[in-house]
Amino acid sequence: MKKIIITQISEKKIKAGNPLLQFEDFPNELSFNEGEIVELVDSRQAFVARAYLAKQNKGVGWVFSLDNADSFNEAFFKNQFEKAKRKRMDLQADPETTTYRLFNAEGDGIPGVTIDHYDGFAVVSWYSGGIFRYQAAILAAFQAVFPETKGIYEKFRYQRKDSLISRFVTGEAAPTPLIVKENGINYATYLDDGLMTGIFLDQRDVRGALTERYAAGKRVLNTFSYTGAFSVAAAMGGAIETTSVDVANRSLERTKEQFAVNNLDGDAQKIYVMDVFDFIRYAIRKELQYDVTIIDPPSFARTKKRTFSVTKDYTQLLEELIQITAPDGTLIVSSNAANYKEKNFKQDIDQAFKNSHCDYRILETFHLPSDFAVPAGSRTSDYLKVFIIKKLAR
């Protein structure tokens, strides 16, 4: 096994619980084969950790163990899956929630691969060619620990030479759509339709809060609405009106479907297929006001008219949405950008309210739900930041 020297700063980071490796962690030029297992050592050649190297969007590899006796093999993978299964016993026993994160990469001990549960079916996401090298052993270990799994699908979240992004692997094929439950609400999902399935599982707690505490009797605006999951959660919580806005053409059909699988009339809700910024201009002209505004934009998006980046443009977006949020209204402000630090996010929120000459109060803060386990020392792994904010009337 190749031994590779790491910097002193990297050694401290690893021992503090951050498993991500980046080029700056290595004082010497780094060359490797995708998925290569290496021993990380300090400047005196003393053992620090075992890792596998693989190029992906966050860095060049991951530490998988601080124990020199561990191997990256089926036995190791099986042990990690067994621990993850024990942690999720409550979710597995909850008939009101049948979809959740079953295994969360570095947070559960196998960096680079996540597995989501959809009412008995598993969706495995691979984040690099390096981790996919161990696919056979990982899936064998998974099936040994989760023999109850009906069928397995794969998503490839890295660029493959064959351009493949999704496929059915083994077992029983899921219905199309597959209806799952979250907090007692139905959602239509598609397990083999590109990278996305129709619902972002990391927002479960936020949707639950919306249904339980903020939606009743309110007019709700859901921007960047995707398939309308927040809109359905609001309607099921007693919202008198929901408005969903997304630029994607199929958002109309998919949002109506989400209402339909809950026996709600989609035609009674407002659904706009248009650029969110154009809708905001329209709402300002029409003097529309909403009691609850949901803001969960992509980290980066480009349309024919504009480019949006959360780190550069969130303040302006929030300022404009504050205008169409009623006095004493609520804003659910979210970002899933790992490179957007919570401190900077809060500063941008504060600046937006100052520019709008409005006071505000943060009512609740959310991060990833418990099934999205994260290493204690890895801030980038804990990427979700959500603030539920009250716009104070003057």
Side-chain angles (χ1 to χ4, degrees):
M1 185 182 301
K2 184 190 298 183
K3 293 185 178 182
I4 301 181
I5 296 173
I6 56 173
T7 66
Q8 190 174 14
I9 293 174
S10 178
E11 180 183 356
K12 289 180 180 178
K13 178 187 76 171
I14 291 167
K15 289 181 177 179
N18 187 346
L20 178 63
L21 299 173
Q22 297 170 307
F23 277 113
E24 55 264 33
D25 292 317
F26 303 93
N28 303 317
E29 185 177 351
L30 188 65
S31 63
F32 58 89
N33 297 316
E34 279 289 305
E36 183 178 357
I37 304 301
V38 297
E39 185 177 316
L40 304 180
V41 297
D42 64 18
S43 58
R44 298 180 180 180
Q45 296 289 312
F47 173 80
V48 177
R50 282 196 168 187
Y52 79 87
L53 301 180
K55 294 178 182 177
Q56 36 86 38
N57 63 347
K58 290 182 179 180
V60 293
W62 297 93
V63 168
F64 66 85
S65 181
L66 301 182
D67 187 341
N68 201 15
D70 279 338
S71 297
F72 207 55
N73 58 18
E74 187 173 332
F76 176 82
F77 303 144
K78 186 177 177 182
N79 185 47
Q80 307 312 308
F81 286 134
E82 287 172 342
K83 289 188 290 185
K85 189 173 188 178
R86 289 193 293 270
K87 290 178 185 176
R88 291 160 176 83
M89 290 180 65
D90 289 347
L91 277 170
Q92 293 168 27
D94 182 4
E96 296 300 297
T97 294
T98 63
T99 186
Y100 47 86
R101 177 60 55 89
L102 202 56
F103 191 88
N104 197 42
E106 65 270 21
D108 282 310
I110 310 177
V113 59
T114 63
I115 305 177
D116 292 324
H117 176 89
Y118 288 85
D119 196 24
F121 295 88
V123 175
V124 182
S125 291
W126 307 99
Y127 285 82
S128 71
I131 189 63
F132 186 69
R133 174 177 169 180
Y134 302 92
Q135 181 231 29
I138 289 172
L139 291 187
F142 174 77
Q143 289 175 291
V145 176
F146 295 92
E148 66 275 16
T149 302
K150 298 176 187 176
I152 298 175
Y153 290 79
E154 289 180 325
K155 307 290 184 185
F156 298 96
R157 299 182 182 274
Y158 65 94
Q159 186 64 49
R160 288 171 55 103
K161 291 181 180 178
D162 60 7
S163 300
L164 184 66
I165 59 173
S166 177
R167 71 181 176 190
F168 171 70
V169 180
T170 188
E172 175 188 332
T176 304
L178 172 66
I179 308 302
V180 298
K181 283 185 178 293
E182 179 194 85
N183 301 319
I185 298 172
N186 293 329
Y187 293 96
T189 61
Y190 295 80
L191 303 192
D192 196 17
D193 184 16
L195 288 177
M196 306 306 174
T197 62
I199 185 170
F200 293 117
L201 302 182
D202 53 5
Q203 293 280 12
R204 182 180 69 247
D205 291 346
V206 183
R207 282 189 290 268
L210 173 63
T211 302
E212 294 171 10
R213 297 189 287 281
Y214 298 104
K218 305 298 185 182
R219 297 159 296 168
V220 177
L221 170 64
N222 182 12
T223 62
F224 307 97
S225 58
Y226 185 38
T227 64
F230 273 112
S231 303
V232 173
M236 294 296 285
I240 58 173
E241 174 187 287
T242 69
T243 300
S244 306
V245 185
D246 197 287
V247 73
N249 287 327
R250 69 177 184 171
S251 65
L252 175 63
E253 177 188 342
R254 290 291 171 87
T255 300
K256 283 186 175 182
E257 181 180 49
Q258 300 293 26
F259 284 110
V261 297
N262 287 285
N263 298 314
L264 298 170
D265 183 4
D267 291 331
Q269 312 296 327
K270 296 180 179 179
I271 306 170
Y272 293 86
V273 179
M274 64 187 299
D275 184 280
V276 168
F277 292 92
D278 291 340
F279 176 82
I280 293 170
R281 309 281 189 278
Y282 164 80
I284 291 171
R285 288 198 310 271
K286 295 292 184 178
E287 298 183 344
L288 301 178
Q289 292 276 282
Y290 299 93
D291 303 304
V292 179
T293 302
I294 300 159
I295 313 157
D296 185 24
S299 299
F300 180 85
R302 179 180 285 116
T303 65
K304 293 179 180 179
K305 292 184 177 181
R306 62 178 55 83
T307 298
F308 175 84
S309 166
V310 291
T311 57
K312 297 178 181 178
D313 304 315
Y314 213 125
T315 300
Q316 180 187 347
L317 171 64
L318 186 53
E319 281 179 41
E320 296 184 6
L321 287 167
I322 287 169
Q323 291 185 59
I324 57 176
T325 302
D328 288 322
T330 302
L331 296 99
I332 299 179
V333 185
S334 174
S335 173
N336 63 3
N339 64 333
Y340 194 19
K341 294 182 180 179
E342 185 168 329
K343 175 184 175 182
N344 296 337
F345 191 21
K346 291 180 78 171
Q347 288 174 344
D348 288 348
I349 290 170
D350 188 67
Q351 189 62 52
F353 276 93
K354 283 182 178 177
N355 293 348
S356 303
H357 307 290
C358 287
D359 294 325
Y360 70 99
R361 184 170 74 250
I362 295 177
L363 303 177
E364 295 189 70
T365 301
F366 290 87
H367 293 95
L368 289 170
S370 60
D371 46 319
F372 281 71
V374 296
S378 178
R379 293 181 181 178
T380 56
S381 299
D382 193 10
Y383 58 84
L384 185 67
K385 303 160 286 289
V386 184
F387 300 102
I388 299 185
I389 298 170
K390 185 178 182 65
K391 175 184 173 181
L392 300 177
R394 286 191 168 183

